Amino acid sequence: MTMLEAFVKERNDALFSLDRKKIEAYCAKHGDSDTAELPDEVFWAGVYKAICAIRNAPEDKVREARTWLASHGFSDTIRL
């Protein structure tokens, strides 16, 4: 497995787990130590938007992400 493949697998495992502690640990490992301080709604909006942006994400995870985002007034895309 290449370094990129390992990174993508680790990222996907964290995000798709929908386990906040696991996601925070993944973020901290990769230099984002502020994730743990985010309010719940902001944290989950970021997680769900990230899931929607992952090509080949499991359809059930994308469906759950889109449902959550819509119910909280967010779009399912990431815009700069």
Side-chain angles (χ1 to χ4, degrees):
M1 177 179 301
T2 68
M3 284 180 48
L4 177 59
E5 290 169 333
F7 176 83
V8 168
K9 181 181 181 335
E10 181 184 18
R11 177 204 65 192
N12 290 354
D13 288 347
L15 290 174
F16 298 155
S17 75
L18 298 178
D19 177 326
R20 183 166 180 155
K21 295 287 184 202
K22 186 173 184 174
I23 296 166
E24 288 172 349
Y26 166 80
C27 291
K29 178 180 176 181
H30 293 283
D32 186 355
S33 58
D34 296 333
T35 307
E37 297 174 20
L38 292 174
D40 281 346
E41 188 171 60
V42 174
F43 174 84
W44 289 112
V47 168
Y48 286 130
K49 281 179 173 269
I51 288 171
C52 289
I54 295 172
R55 193 175 307 161
N56 301 321
E59 190 55 40
D60 63 319
K61 299 294 183 185
V62 174
R63 187 171 33 258
E64 180 178 351
R66 286 185 174 143
T67 299
W68 187 95
L69 288 163
S71 71
H72 288 82
F74 294 96
S75 72
D76 62 358
T77 58
I78 299 172
R79 297 185 187 139
L80 299 176

